[in-house]
Amino acid sequence: MPQVLVIEDDETTAREIVAELSAHGMQADWVANGRDGLAHATQREYDLITLDRMLPGMDGIDVVAELRRAGRDTPVLMISALSDVDERVRGLRAGGDDYLTKPFAPDEMSARAEVLLRRRQPQAVVQRLRVADLELDLVSHVAYRGGQPLTLLPTEYRLLEFLMRNSGQVLTRTMIFETVWGFHFDPGTNVIDVHIARLRRKIDGAGQPALIHTVRGTGYMIAAANEAATVVS
C-alpha cells in the first residue's frame, strides 16, 4: 500500500485529501505545518507527498527545497491557492513534481497522485510502448496498429505518448493539457477533444477494438478493452 504524507494546514482540505487517497488504496499521514512536515518527510520513507504551498512555520517552497537538499527524491504534488503561472514555475523549480491549484476536484488530485506514484516505480529503458496491438516507436516516432504504420502529427504523437506511458491510468483534461501543450488549462477550449477525436480516427479504425476511452466528467485513458470495463467510451 503506497504511503503518502499530506502536509496541509487546513483541516477540511486535509481530511478531503486523506479520504480521497484512502479510497484509492493509499495510506495517508497528515501533518498541519511546514516544519513538522519536513521532519516527517526526512525521517520516514514515503512514496508521495502532497504539499500545501502556504503553510505556517515553514513555507511549502522552502519545505520542498530543503527536502531536495537533503537528498530526498520523494515525488511532491504541490497544492496551492496561487494559480498564476509564475507561482507554478517557482514551485516546480524548487523541486515539486506537479502543481495543483485550489479549489480542486478530488478525482483530479487522486489522478495526479497515481501518475506520480507510477513514475516512482523502477522503469526499464524502453524504445517501444505497447497497448494491445498498438505500438509506439520512441526512436523513429512512428506508431503502428496491427503492424500497420499510422501517420501522426507532432501534437498527436505527444498526446499518444503521454497516454501510452500511463496506459490504464485515467488522465484528466488538465493533466493532458499541461503535459502535451505545456501551459495552463483553459476550460473554455475544445482543443483536447479535437485532438482526441483525430487520434481515435487514426487508431480505432472500423472493426478494431477501441483503445482510447473517455472517462465521463474526468478525462481520457488508453487501455485494451478488457482493462477498460469501468470507463465510458
Side-chain angles (χ1 to χ4, degrees):
M1 177 181 292
Q3 303 295 306
V4 183
L5 176 61
V6 176
I7 310 176
E8 169 63 59
D9 65 317
D10 181 76
E11 182 175 355
T12 299
T13 302
R15 290 188 182 280
E16 290 175 353
I17 293 173
V18 170
E20 182 68 14
L21 295 176
S22 298
H24 285 77
M26 306 176 211
Q27 173 66 47
D29 296 333
W30 171 39
V31 177
N33 67 77
R35 293 196 181 280
D36 288 346
L38 179 61
H40 275 69
T42 53
Q43 292 169 9
R44 288 190 55 184
E45 291 292 336
Y46 286 98
D47 299 297
L48 175 70
I49 298 170
T50 71
L51 175 63
D52 188 21
R53 167 67 175 80
M54 294 179 288
L55 290 165
M58 191 176 191
D59 183 81
I61 292 287
D62 295 329
V63 170
V64 70
E66 286 295 327
L67 191 65
R68 298 309 183 219
R69 278 193 284 270
R72 294 299 184 112
D73 62 353
T74 311
V76 174
L77 171 59
M78 299 197 72
I79 300 177
S80 176
L82 303 174
S83 60
D84 59 277
V85 174
D86 288 343
E87 282 296 331
R88 175 184 173 83
V89 170
R90 187 180 176 208
L92 296 177
R93 283 180 175 172
D97 297 276
D98 197 1
Y99 192 99
L100 180 62
T101 302
K102 296 178 180 180
F104 55 85
D107 58 357
E108 173 81 24
M109 185 275 301
S110 59
R112 289 174 181 262
E114 289 177 337
V115 166
L116 289 177
L117 285 170
R118 290 188 62 170
R119 291 182 193 169
R120 178 81 165 166
Q121 299 171 358
Q123 299 290 327
V125 176
V126 297
Q127 295 185 335
R128 285 200 174 203
L129 301 173
R130 291 181 177 86
V131 176
D133 63 343
L134 175 66
E135 296 187 18
L136 187 64
D137 190 315
L138 300 176
V139 178
S140 66
H141 287 201
V142 176
Y144 302 84
R145 179 83 196 261
Q148 298 300 310
L150 307 172
T151 302
L152 300 179
L153 296 174
T155 302
E156 294 169 348
Y157 174 87
R158 293 196 301 273
L159 176 57
L160 181 60
E161 181 182 358
F162 184 48
L163 289 169
M164 292 184 72
R165 284 190 182 276
N166 297 281
S167 62
Q169 168 68 48
V170 178
L171 301 174
T172 68
R173 294 166 59 84
T174 306
M175 293 165 66
I176 293 171
F177 206 89
E178 291 174 353
T179 300
V180 177
W181 279 266
F183 52 93
H184 194 65
F185 178 62
D186 176 4
T189 182
N190 68 342
V191 65
I192 294 175
D193 308 285
V194 170
H195 280 79
I196 287 287
R198 288 176 180 169
L199 205 52
R200 274 183 166 142
R201 286 195 293 270
K202 294 180 179 183
I203 290 173
D204 296 339
Q208 293 177 307
L211 296 179
I212 299 177
H213 307 274
T214 300
V215 183
R216 185 175 296 155
T218 302
Y220 300 95
M221 68 181 291
I222 192 165
N226 62 342
E227 298 173 335
T230 61
V231 304
V232 179
S233 297

